[in-house]
């Protein structure tokens, strides 16, 4: 997962989605699609909860604090890690890859950088599809409403997308995932000092 160092983007939609809430700026495989899509209830929540279980077990801060785990369990975890990498490569070869896109993400929504205009008006419904972590080649689909769209002077187009109709459980899973991303970014920044 790539941390971004972006300059501040000034748009009223920034306040609506990111003021007084935790947010992360990252580059993730992601795309926006106009219109409604069939979103399987619980799929995004299940994936985010599973990612949380795996990452929390590994230790988010990069330290391997498994002193109480046996050597045999550590070997088993290493083998599973290798299997996940191999399965991920196979899935990436057979599936359509999502383009890597800079985005800002909060519990309220996402600002997505695109190469061109979406052609949708504010208030239009859509779906943001993104891969929440780099080690698992699976994605989540989240229903969104377009808040705004704008271009900067260098040709990049931005979409501000507000989450719409998420369950309380999915909102909690998103917040937990964002917290882990944020904590990881802080740890990486400290290591670079």
């Amino acid at each position: 997962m790539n941390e971004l160092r972006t300059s501040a983007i000034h748009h009223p939609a920034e306040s609506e989605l990111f003021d007084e809430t935790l947010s992360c700026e990252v580059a993730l495989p992601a795309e926006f699609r106009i219109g409604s899509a069939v979103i399987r209830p619980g799929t995004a929540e299940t994936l985010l909860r599973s990612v949380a279980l795996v990452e929390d077990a590994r230790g988010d801060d990069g330290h391997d604090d498994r002193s109480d785990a046996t050597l045999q369990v550590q070997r088993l975890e290493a083998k599973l890690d290798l299997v996940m990498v191999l399965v991920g490569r196979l899935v990436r070869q057979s599936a359509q890859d999502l383009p890597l896109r800079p985005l800002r993400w909060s519990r309220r929504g996402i600002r997505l950088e695109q190469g061109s205009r979406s052609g949708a008006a504010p208030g239009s419904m859509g779906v943001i599809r993104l891969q929440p972590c780099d080690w698992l080649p699976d994605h989540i689909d989240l229903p969104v409403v377009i808040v705004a769209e704008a271009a900067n002077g260098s040709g990049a187009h931005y979409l501000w997308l507000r989450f719409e109709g998420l369950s309380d459980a999915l909102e909690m899973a998103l917040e937990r995932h964002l917290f882990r991303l944020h904590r990881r970014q802080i740890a990486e920044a400290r290591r670079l000092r």
Side-chain angles (χ1 to χ4, degrees):
M1 200 154 317
N2 302 322
E3 183 178 346
L4 296 180
R5 307 257 188 252
T6 60
S7 59
I9 296 173
H10 302 289
H11 192 280
E14 286 286 304
S15 295
E16 181 178 337
L17 297 179
F18 307 115
D19 277 0
E20 298 181 21
T21 189
L22 179 69
S23 68
C24 296
E25 293 198 40
V26 294
L28 293 174
E31 70 180 358
F32 169 75
R33 293 185 181 171
I34 298 172
S36 59
V38 177
I39 298 175
R40 297 172 296 182
T43 305
E45 178 191 344
T46 301
L47 180 68
L48 289 173
R49 286 181 185 273
S50 297
V51 166
L53 286 172
V54 170
E55 288 184 350
D56 289 349
R58 289 182 178 171
D60 268 346
D61 60 357
H63 301 312
D64 198 4
D65 293 334
R66 295 185 272 186
S67 58
D68 60 334
T70 65
L71 188 57
Q72 190 174 21
V73 171
Q74 290 176 5
R75 287 183 186 140
L76 182 60
E77 286 180 353
K79 288 176 184 178
L80 285 173
D81 288 344
L82 290 173
V83 169
M84 289 296 296
V85 168
L86 292 173
V87 169
R89 286 182 187 159
L90 289 172
V91 169
R92 277 192 284 273
Q93 289 173 358
S94 63
Q96 291 182 340
D97 282 337
L98 296 173
L100 189 65
R101 301 229 188 253
L103 57 90
R104 185 173 183 191
W105 190 1
S106 80
R107 67 177 181 82
R108 294 184 194 136
I110 288 180
R111 179 191 67 221
L112 181 68
E113 184 177 326
Q114 300 197 128
S116 62
R117 292 190 56 81
S118 73
S124 299
M125 298 293 292
V127 174
I128 182 78
R129 174 174 283 178
L130 59 90
Q131 182 180 323
C133 57
D134 54 2
W135 57 267
L136 182 65
D138 200 359
H139 65 272
I140 58 175
D141 292 328
L142 302 169
V144 293
V145 172
I146 296 177
V147 175
E149 183 169 8
N152 68 5
S154 62
H157 291 269
Y158 298 95
L159 269 176
W160 285 267
L161 307 166
R162 183 180 65 244
F163 297 131
E164 190 72 23
L166 302 182
S167 69
D168 291 342
L170 179 53
E171 284 183 14
M172 287 178 60
L174 278 172
E175 284 187 71
R176 185 174 179 193
H177 186 72
L178 288 168
F179 180 75
R180 280 193 328 279
L181 285 176
H182 182 70
R183 194 170 69 194
R184 191 175 305 131
Q185 287 177 340
I186 290 171
E188 286 175 19
R190 286 181 181 158
R191 276 194 291 268
L192 294 175
R193 286 186 201 164

